[in-house]
Amino acid sequence: MNGVKMEMDGHLNKDFHQEVFLGKEIEEFEEDSEPRRNRKKLIEIFTKVDFNKDKSVSAKEMQRWIMEKTEEHFQEAMVENKNSFHGVDPDANGQVTWDEYRVKFLASKGFNEKEVAEKVKNNEDLKLDEETQEVLESLKDRWFQADNNPNDQLLNEQEFLSFLHPEHSKGMLQYMVKEIVRDLDQDGDKKLTLSEFISLPVGTVENQQAQDIDDDWVRERKKEFEDVIDSDRNGIVTMTELEEYMDPMNEHNALNEAKQMIAVADENQNHNLELDEILKYSEYFTGSKLMDYARNVHEEF
């Protein structure tokens, strides 16, 4: 989910800061893109973020920009939802059944749509592999959570939006939080300790590379837990704290994110970002390295 800090499976969204900095232009910054073109695009973005045109980006300006980009992601999600809804509503009656969605979902995973539809119609065993079955069960739980009153097991377009994009709905956001806590909470107190939050997924470490990945996982989650999610710094994350953290339209979170982004590149320690700092740390902001970032910067600007 673009513009959301934590995925539905509890994994941190590593591209979050890039998504809320670049918005829909994120796809234009590819690893193999021409550096000079990307540098020009980044300069254009800097001039937009610099609302007061003083050639420096403050935390407040970055916060405002993050909120604008988050809203942009929301609007894109609504357009995508409309197209997806029409795709799974074959009779165009404005409502989608679980079976209609299930058939389309399995077809998107490579199953024969006609065969699946026939088996669903006749209530036959679909003979799915364990992983696909688990995904379907998770989706079905979310389906029923998105089904507002009356609970008719049919989703209209707005409910379907809550199903596909839980971040759009307060109730679904709370449901996501409960699911994540349920998966990570080891002692059943409906809260998360640091050790619970950084616990590794079940699996065996096969080599040093895998061990390094695991170490990165622990380090990143520990920093996020202590610096951001645990807002009262008591070593325990409640459902309320996690919900506030995951709410993409939380202005306080946007300000914290803005300060973090500035801190990464603020070499002169003035708590603002200048153009040369953003260009130098372009990989952090865009996912792409911009070679020769300093060359002709002022002329281009």
Side-chain angles (χ1 to χ4, degrees), residues 10 23 35 52 69 117 132 148 154 167 189 216 227 237 248 256:
N52 65 5
K69 295 296 105 178
T132 303
N148 295 324
L154 301 171
E167 71 276 16
D189 64 353
D216 286 343
D227 295 353
V237 165
N256 282 340

Side-chain angles (χ1 to χ4, degrees), residues 78-273:
M78 292 178 72
V79 172
E80 174 197 308
N81 179 72
K82 186 178 288 291
N83 294 334
S84 298
F85 184 80
H86 292 157
V88 295
D89 181 24
D91 50 15
N93 67 347
Q95 293 179 315
V96 177
T97 67
W98 166 247
D99 283 344
E100 285 175 332
Y101 176 77
R102 182 166 51 142
V103 168
K104 293 292 185 180
F105 174 79
L106 290 174
S108 73
K109 299 300 179 184
F111 291 84
N112 184 291
E113 184 171 344
K114 287 186 177 179
E115 288 181 7
V116 171
E118 190 65 25
K119 287 183 178 180
V120 168
K121 181 180 178 182
N122 297 326
N123 204 25
E124 297 177 22
D125 184 7
L126 296 177
K127 294 184 173 60
L128 303 175
D129 60 88
E130 185 177 348
E131 183 179 352
T132 303
Q133 186 62 43
E134 286 180 1
V135 171
L136 264 185
E137 288 173 3
S138 176
L139 286 171
K140 189 174 184 180
D141 286 343
R142 207 160 90 227
W143 182 275
F144 287 110
Q145 284 293 325
D147 183 16
N148 295 324
N149 291 326
N151 298 124
D152 50 13
Q153 300 182 21
L154 301 171
L155 298 191
N156 58 32
E157 190 171 318
Q158 186 60 41
E159 291 169 331
F160 193 70
L161 176 64
S162 295
F163 169 70
L164 281 188
H165 295 277
E167 71 276 16
H168 282 251
S169 160
K170 185 76 172 175
M172 287 298 287
L173 197 61
Q174 291 171 343
Y175 169 72
M176 278 177 64
V177 167
K178 288 179 182 177
E179 289 292 288
I180 289 170
V181 171
R182 187 191 69 180
D183 290 343
L184 300 178
D185 179 21
Q186 296 170 9
D187 59 12
D189 64 353
K190 297 182 179 179
K191 300 174 184 177
L192 296 179
T193 61
L194 175 60
S195 62
E196 288 173 331
F197 190 73
I198 66 175
S199 59
L200 291 162
V202 177
T204 53
V205 176
E206 298 176 351
N207 52 43
Q208 185 59 47
Q209 183 179 8
Q211 181 63 57
D212 291 343
I213 292 172
D214 284 355
D215 290 344
D216 286 343
W217 159 283
V218 170
R219 187 162 45 249
E220 289 169 2
R221 291 179 75 85
K222 182 176 187 293
K223 179 175 174 56
E224 197 73 4
F225 183 99
E226 294 177 336
D227 295 353
V228 185
I229 308 176
D230 182 17
S231 57
D232 60 7
R233 303 293 190 269
N234 70 346
I236 300 289
V237 165
T238 64
M239 286 192 179
T240 300
E241 285 176 317
L242 191 56
E243 184 183 336
E244 289 175 351
Y245 167 78
M246 293 181 64
D247 182 358
M249 296 308 290
N250 185 316
E251 291 189 8
H252 179 68
N253 284 352
L255 182 58
N256 282 340
E257 184 66 26
K259 290 177 179 177
Q260 285 184 338
M261 291 169 73
I262 288 173
V264 167
D266 184 22
E267 288 198 337
N268 63 10
Q269 298 294 300
N270 68 348
H271 306 295
N272 288 347
L273 283 183

